[in-house]
Amino acid sequence: MSITDTNRLGLPNLGLGVGLRSKHYSHLMQNDPVVDWFEIISENYINNFGYGRHVLEHICAVRPVVMHGVSMSIGSTDPLNLGYLKQLKELADFVKPVWISDHLCWTGVAHLNTHDLLPLPLTLESLQHVSDRVNQVQDILQRPLILENPSTYMEFQSSTLHEWEFMTELVNKTGCGLLLDVNNVFVSGFNHGFDPEFYIRNIPHKAVVQMHVAGPTDCDTYLLDTHDQPVPTQVWHLYKLAQELTGGVSTLLEWDANIPEYPELVAEVQKAKQVMQGYIPEVPVHRTPYVDAVSNPVDHQVQITHD
Amino acid sequence: MTELANIQRWLTSIIVKPGALNDKIRLADDYYNLDNSEVVQATLRQTSAQKIEIYARGYILRLMECMEAEYPAVCKLLGEELFHTFVRAYLIEQPSTSPDLYDLGKNFATFLKASQPKNTEQSNDFDLPVELAILERALAEISRVKGLEGRTVKPNYLNDLLYLFDTTNIQASPGLILLNLSWPLAGYVKAVYQTQEPVIPGKKDSFLAVSRNHYRINFQEIEQWQWCFLQSLQTANNYTEAVRIAAEQCAIPQDTLMADLILWISVALNFGYIYKNE
Ligand SMILES: [Fe+2]
């Protein structure tokens, strides 16, 4: 296998990281974080000057931090929310993140926010629209924007590009970076019937700055991106392939519901080391007979932390 | 309108509007001049409507979890089913327009109040969930405001007595929330937080202070004169003036109030109701 030379937009490989979640605040204030770096949900700290901000300040002092957003709505046909971007920049001044990321998606129109990551028709019109906005955002934030491929549950008949082609063109037009969520590739591949390995082989590897791994849920006729399970075998396989093709990039475990105790979370992300040595854990995709599984769980963002 | 804008309006309307899925899809198809089966690619396993449903159902479930996280006591009081009914109606009437989920529950108490049956004799009892929602929102707000932490607060004096009499520069803490409710609800909420079975209290005028000190959130029922003093301090921003106003409001002689305050001031400092400014 040919190893592509690493570029990552000149950004570092931070190693293995986890998301900063309120459940672990008190643990992290008293114990070594163990992992190499943290990712925060930007919106969780933008108007938050309580304990969460205090913990964030502590974490920023001891580990590199990356800001990951869910409300930029880069694909929306609404005007860019300049107030939000200003707040994002203010938070960046506080956090000094190694980079700032969001998703290739839209969250609503007519000023509504569904707080979901909605899919775009992958057309030349969308490509031009998103490219223009990525350029605007990069001008405002004064840094490259890193965009993540979302899990999707529908494809549009009007689409003329595959997602990997869309991502490639977007990188060419804007110089943005990619956050490759290999679990999302697995989920979308199952839902839309494409080969996830083909997807991963056909994105611009030099632009990949970060990867996400997570555990989805099998809802029988589709996979759902629930972030509430250990990473399954198939996702680890895709992860290994992607790490080899990119030459190694920062890895982050996403776990947003049924969040385990901190040591268990750390143990899960550290499986990535064994995976790279060829030991892939045998973990089936979690199956549920219930229809109330939630993709992109966000309630961890509003939980009040009581000391 | 561009094709992209039209599709986005079409899908958003299906997701956020109330009603049965197929009705919502049909209405949106008509209004935006689209045909869902031509917009969304069906697969062997799923029709276009089933794919749309994943987003429509996920929208409600996801935001329901957020409301449950912010209003666990209201949920406990109403029971899950009724709580969900109210939240669904709330999300339909006031869908989120903010990038910040923290704003999602902002108007829930007002919404519950407006949903009460009008002109009924015992309509006051419907205020119980409303007041619980007011308290839970206050707790959400106090957990995120710019508080006392990080300010240079005057250090404690070595001579405690001198400290007690030095009332200059005493101010209401930033973010301090004062609630005057018809039920003493602090115990109910605390029980819910500790996953104990909460007891609905008897109706009784209640004066609550919600504050934060060293990132610890405090909410306590306090005496009426204490509450009046804090409220006056918030508006007058002057200790002596606050004493005068509170004494008048509570019909207590000023020197009695002052004497009581001297005993209470260290408690109020401890809970972060007040602080001494540099
Ligand atoms: Fe992700």
Side-chain angles (χ1 to χ4, degrees):
Chain A
M1 187 176 299
S2 68
I3 304 263
T4 319
D5 62 324
T6 310
N7 174 307
R8 299 185 306 250
L9 277 53
L11 294 165
N13 178 355
L14 299 173
L16 302 179
V18 295
L20 180 61
R21 297 293 177 265
S22 57
K23 171 167 180 163
H24 303 131
Y25 282 171
S26 57
H27 180 93
L28 287 168
M29 291 305 281
Q30 287 155 31
N31 297 278
D32 187 279
V34 187
V35 295
D36 302 319
W37 64 284
F38 285 88
E39 183 183 77
I40 63 163
I41 302 292
S42 312
E43 289 77 4
N44 204 4
Y45 298 92
I46 277 178
N47 288 313
N48 186 347
F49 302 95
Y51 188 54
R53 180 66 81 116
H54 177 60
V55 176
L56 175 60
E57 191 172 17
H58 166 72
I59 293 296
C60 287
V62 295
R63 286 294 188 277
V65 171
V66 162
M67 280 168 48
H68 184 51
V70 290
S71 289
M72 190 179 286
S73 202
I74 198 76
S76 174
T77 47
D78 270 1
L80 275 174
N81 186 338
L82 297 179
Y84 166 77
L85 289 171
K86 184 168 171 273
Q87 290 182 317
L88 197 63
K89 199 159 188 279
E90 281 166 8
L91 183 66
D93 289 341
F94 178 85
V95 171
K96 310 246 175 337
V98 194
W99 58 81
I100 299 176
S101 64
D102 204 293
H103 301 80
L104 176 66
C105 74
W106 55 289
T107 61
V109 277
H111 306 289
L112 295 177
N113 189 350
T114 65
H115 297 279
D116 199 357
L117 311 171
L118 301 169
L120 280 161
L122 302 176
T123 60
L124 292 176
E125 182 199 350
S126 298
L127 179 64
Q128 191 57 52
H129 178 69
V130 175
S131 301
D132 290 347
R133 285 163 65 98
V134 169
N135 283 327
Q136 277 184 65
V137 168
Q138 294 185 143
D139 283 348
I140 293 169
L141 297 180
Q142 291 288 301
R143 60 176 83 222
L145 178 64
I146 313 302
L147 282 176
E148 172 176 358
N149 57 301
S151 279
T152 58
Y153 310 99
M154 60 164 68
E155 283 187 314
F156 294 91
Q157 292 212 20
S158 55
S159 290
T160 53
L161 297 163
H162 294 292
E163 194 173 276
W164 57 89
E165 294 168 334
F166 194 97
M167 293 291 224
T168 306
E169 288 308 314
L170 191 61
V171 166
N172 290 340
K173 278 172 167 285
T174 66
C176 73
L178 297 180
L179 196 178
L180 176 65
D181 187 318
V182 286
N183 167 61
N184 289 351
V185 177
F186 173 62
V187 166
S188 296
F190 178 88
N191 293 342
H192 310 314
F194 66 72
D195 175 8
E197 280 198 25
F198 188 84
Y199 182 119
I200 288 169
R201 287 182 195 282
N202 284 281
I203 52 166
H205 301 127
K206 280 187 181 181
V208 179
V209 170
Q210 184 191 332
M211 287 182 200
H212 273 168
V213 289
T217 296
D218 180 348
C219 300
D220 194 32
T221 52
Y222 59 97
L223 294 181
L224 199 63
D225 181 30
T226 47
H227 296 177
D228 61 346
Q229 302 295 328
V231 181
T233 307
Q234 298 95 315
V235 173
W236 282 127
H237 274 292
L238 296 175
Y239 170 74
K240 182 164 186 285
L241 172 68
Q243 283 288 322
E244 285 163 357
L245 290 169
T246 55
V249 302
S250 306
T251 298
L252 188 114
L253 169 68
E254 290 188 292
W255 204 316
D256 294 321
N258 297 326
I259 302 176
E261 295 303 322
Y262 193 73
E264 193 187 325
L265 187 75
V266 171
E268 184 66 18
V269 73
Q270 287 183 338
K271 286 180 187 170
K273 286 182 194 160
Q274 278 101 60
V275 167
M276 293 317 293
Q277 288 160 7
Y279 304 107
I280 313 264
E282 274 300 320
V283 181
V285 176
H286 174 74
R287 289 181 64 93
T288 178
Y290 303 112
V291 290
D292 59 350
V294 178
S295 63
N296 319 318
V298 289
D299 53 313
H300 64 88
Q301 291 180 46
V302 287
Q303 255 133 24
I304 299 175
T305 36
H306 300 277
D307 222 3
Chain B
M1 201 187 308
T2 64
E3 197 186 326
L4 180 61
N6 197 45
I7 284 183
Q8 290 189 343
R9 280 170 192 269
W10 169 82
L11 185 58
T12 303
S13 83
I14 296 171
I15 291 172
V16 303
K17 289 243 165 86
L21 181 74
N22 287 331
D23 297 341
K24 295 198 290 180
I25 293 176
R26 201 179 51 243
L27 279 172
D29 279 4
D30 285 350
Y31 192 84
Y32 294 98
N33 202 18
L34 292 169
D35 175 349
N36 69 89
S37 64
E38 286 172 12
V39 176
V40 176
Q41 185 93 47
T43 52
L44 282 176
R45 286 188 290 248
Q46 286 183 298
T47 63
S48 53
Q50 285 170 329
K51 287 168 186 281
I52 295 167
E53 190 185 13
I54 297 173
Y55 287 100
R57 193 177 52 227
Y59 167 72
I60 288 290
L61 290 172
R62 186 176 304 109
L63 298 186
M64 188 67 78
E65 286 186 344
C66 292
M67 292 293 283
E68 284 172 357
E70 187 168 326
Y71 294 101
V74 179
C75 183
K76 183 77 192 173
L77 178 78
L78 295 177
E80 221 169 60
E81 208 182 317
L82 188 56
F83 179 75
H84 286 183
T85 305
F86 276 117
V87 171
R88 274 201 194 88
Y90 174 65
L91 293 175
I92 288 159
E93 195 185 283
Q94 304 192 32
S96 171
T97 55
S98 169
D100 194 340
L101 274 168
Y102 169 61
D103 292 334
L104 183 71
K106 195 169 55 181
N107 301 319
F108 191 50
T110 316
F111 170 82
L112 286 175
K113 179 79 186 166
S115 320
Q116 288 177 355
K118 304 281 180 289
N119 306 320
T120 53
E121 290 242 324
Q122 74 293 52
S123 82
N124 247 352
D125 284 348
F126 292 107
D127 279 340
L128 182 55
V130 176
E131 294 205 338
L132 258 187
I134 290 171
L135 173 53
E136 293 202 283
R137 181 64 196 177
L139 293 169
E141 281 172 12
I142 201 73
S143 73
R144 297 173 55 124
V145 291
K146 273 193 182 130
L148 281 175
E149 302 90 359
R151 283 194 187 214
T152 38
V153 174
K154 266 196 178 175
N156 278 358
Y157 291 59
L158 289 174
N159 183 336
D160 265 357
L161 208 59
L162 182 64
Y163 171 60
L164 290 177
F165 284 99
D166 177 16
T167 52
T168 49
N169 302 325
I170 281 190
Q171 290 185 326
S173 293
L176 170 70
I177 300 171
L178 298 167
L179 302 174
N180 178 203
L181 305 175
S182 311
W183 285 267
L185 294 172
Y188 190 93
V189 172
K190 281 175 186 167
V192 172
Y193 282 175
Q194 288 156 17
T195 59
Q196 290 163 358
E197 204 41 51
V199 180
I200 298 174
K203 207 167 181 181
K204 181 182 160 232
D205 215 10
S206 152
F207 297 91
L208 255 165
V210 180
S211 64
R212 197 178 81 206
N213 199 11
H214 300 295
Y215 299 110
R216 182 176 283 278
I217 295 164
N218 303 301
F219 55 111
Q220 314 280 343
E221 265 114 27
I222 57 177
E223 299 291 330
Q224 184 175 4
W225 63 265
Q226 295 166 342
W227 193 91
C228 286
F229 165 75
L230 290 174
Q231 199 198 36
S232 310
L233 192 60
Q234 268 183 335
T235 46
N237 211 12
N238 174 296
Y239 187 87
T240 322
E241 181 64 3
V243 170
R244 192 191 62 75
I245 299 170
E248 196 179 297
Q249 280 175 347
C250 302
I252 306 174
Q254 272 196 45
D255 46 359
T256 311
L257 184 70
M258 255 193 238
D260 286 344
L261 271 172
I262 282 172
L263 294 177
W264 183 64
I265 230 75
S266 61
V267 175
L269 282 164
N270 239 332
F271 280 120
Y273 303 154
I274 57 174
Y275 75 108
K276 287 193 183 211
N277 204 0
E278 278 279 25

